[in-house]
Amino acid sequence: MSGFQLQSTEWVMLYIILACGVLGVIFALVWRRQVLAMDQGTEDMKRIAGQIQEGAFAYLNRQFRTITWMVAILIVILFLTTLGQKWDISLGRILAFVLGAFFSGFTGYVGMTLAVRGNVRCTQAARTSLSQALFVAFRSGAVTGMFTVSLGLIGAAVIFMIYREHATEVLLGFGFGGSLLALFMRVGGGIYTKAADVGADLVGKVEAGIPEDDPRNAAVIADNVGDNVGDCAGMAADIFESYEVTLVASMILALAHVKEQPLLALAWIMFPLLVRAVGVITSIFGIWIVKLKNDEGSVIGAITKGFVWAAVFSAVGFFLISKFYVGNQTLNPDGYRQWPMLFWATFSGLLLAIAIYKLTEYYTNGSFAPVKSIARSTQTGSATTILTGLAEGLEGSVWALLAICASMYTAIIVFGQGATAIDILYGVSLTGLGMLTTTGVIISMDTYGPIADNAQGICEMAKVEEAGENVAHLDSVGNTTKAATKGIAIASAVIAAVALFGSFLSKVAAPGAGETVDAAALKNPDVWLVLNDPKVFIGLLVGGAMPFLFSSMTIRAVSRAAYYIINEVRRQFREIPGLMEGKAMPESAKVVDICTTSALRELIGPGVLAILSPLVVGAWLGWPGLGGFLAGIIVVGQLLAVFMCDAGGAWDNAKKTIEDGLYGGKGSDSHHAAVVGDTVGDPLKDTSGPALNPLLKVMNLVALLATPLIVKHAGGVGLSIAAVIMVAVIAIALIISKRETEAVREVQSRLEVAEK
């Protein structure tokens, strides 16, 4: 394959890109030091925060040990996908896979470790100042955000500098490692946090009539731990892999021009890296300006200002890079007139991020009609509360889909009617790049939420009354920011999956190991997907069913774990003398253990389904069936994910509006109905919905890695036998995931003894 040579200009740019990544890490370390230097408050506050830290570290450490063996197996499988390639490509892909998995896990771990330290410092700051409490909470989240953008940029830039036109083969491993860890952390953390949350709410609020974070409730510590392992660690890993996957897909599609227009291909590869570097700088600025002066102004306004200004300066950066690098006729005589296309495609991604932010805010914020409608329906009971929430969530998913379609259609318009399919798909990948440019701010907004939530819990459990009003305000804003960032994460996952789908088609057109398709190859009818092909249609149907099966597994996991947590909390209220009177402490560690064991046990089934199902479809239906399978996953996955996140967020905030005094306030019949709606929505918005993001990308990446083998060997005896074995493995994993854990059986045994 004829390639391109990096000129002095590109080498200078690559070193600038690396410098931007290092700068992001430096800012993250400085902000981390600032947060840790803050006062931790009273001894009671430190003790409660210590319990949360202990539970969070114990869970995440056990999770990493649990998934290590799966990563080891996948290294072997990944090696098989590189057969026929040069040894340095094979080794590079494996090392990149390990690096991607490490970076994804590390960003999640860093986010969680600082979040469980920042929560108590936020509570202490809130005793005297709302602005200082916001500073602590948002800067704690900013550390996670900057590690996410910086490590992703450094890893991709270094791989490109080493492998150049072969970099995409290696970057596939990097993206797959990040996606796999994100899937595990999203699923495990989501099951943990929502099982504890549901258990704490139903026994505490509804049955015992005690406040949400009452220290007498044995599930409260587990609930606060869950906020961190789910929203902090899980979201950081999720966004990190979207950040990487959009970059990988754009570079694969850019390489389509290597054979005929090597300078154009080089410019189109460098452009995404430069966009990512701009994102590091603008994220630093956006985070820096999030502050309140003298406790005046709106918290949500300050956060939104940081997000919007980061987007504005990013757009300026896009224009400058497009105009003066891609549009430089001396550097890029093959396509210098194409710079406006790259700018507008990337700019549309920024607009999409803002549109999704506002749409999600509309459907989940208590100030708008959907949440008010749900709150009003609580007056007639739980059934109408659930029905209204379902209706609002279903509607919200449609508008989010149309916004994504409008953004992708922009790529079609700006690249023109005469553009090849690969060029248009490259434009779609740029939409994803633009959308996630402000990732540093997006992650900060998300991690801020659980920190504020934990701060309110610590405030209530430690009876720090003077901080109550400030942390309650921060927490209410956190519900909105968490919902909005989930919406952005889902949209980015869809864009990334579509870009990967285009990369899959390019692999079909050039199935040889290490081959790169040229720009006109997809005009060949032999690589078209047509719905009148039964294999494509069957694949489409099976792919559309996967998000439902995956979601049923995760929701059932939450329900099963919550059942035993509820019974354990009830047992403690019944059997521990003086607990309800506040004269004794609950056995919180037992609930933490049930959550941990159940969540880790449930990782097996979803992980096996995500990795093996694309291989089974490809082996039996060939690449056309696999293409239909991927299309079905993308469409249904997006609609289902937005529906669950919007409905769950709306139920949550409807409950909070009633707790603030609407329709009778706490303890009223309306409040009881709202709590039921909230507990139904919890596993939707924080477990199943967000977990569909990495599922989309893992399945697409598995298909992309396996395409050369499927194109050459689909229908063969060997691959068919392998498919039968994989189906058996999936079935066994599903059966194992339904079995009760030892901790759960112990709880059930105690309950049976108590009943006798």
Side-chain angles (χ1 to χ4, degrees), residues 4-14 17 160 262-275 317-339 342 426:
F4 49 71
Q5 295 294 322
L6 293 177
Q7 304 300 318
S8 58
T9 302
E10 281 74 34
W11 280 112
V12 170
M13 288 181 174
L14 285 169
I17 289 168
F160 177 67
L263 292 178
L264 178 66
L266 178 59
W268 282 24
I269 288 174
M270 289 295 298
F271 182 74
L273 291 169
L274 291 166
V275 165
F318 299 163
F319 178 83
L320 295 176
I321 294 169
S322 303
K323 172 70 173 175
F324 296 105
Y325 172 62
V326 180
N328 189 318
Q329 187 172 5
T330 303
L331 297 174
N332 179 29
D334 289 335
Y336 73 95
R337 292 188 183 90
Q338 297 175 343
W339 71 266
L342 274 62
Y426 176 75

Side-chain angles (χ1 to χ4, degrees), residues 138 282 285-287 289-290 301-314 349-358 435 437-439 441-442 445 485 488:
F138 202 79
T282 56
F285 175 77
I287 293 165
I289 65 174
V290 175
I303 294 174
T304 302
K305 181 178 72 173
F307 175 67
V308 171
W309 276 109
V312 169
F313 282 107
S314 294
L350 282 176
L351 296 181
L352 177 60
I354 295 172
I356 293 294
Y357 180 92
K358 289 299 181 182
M435 185 177 191
T437 301
T438 57
T439 288
V441 182
I442 293 170
M445 292 163 58
T485 52
I488 292 173

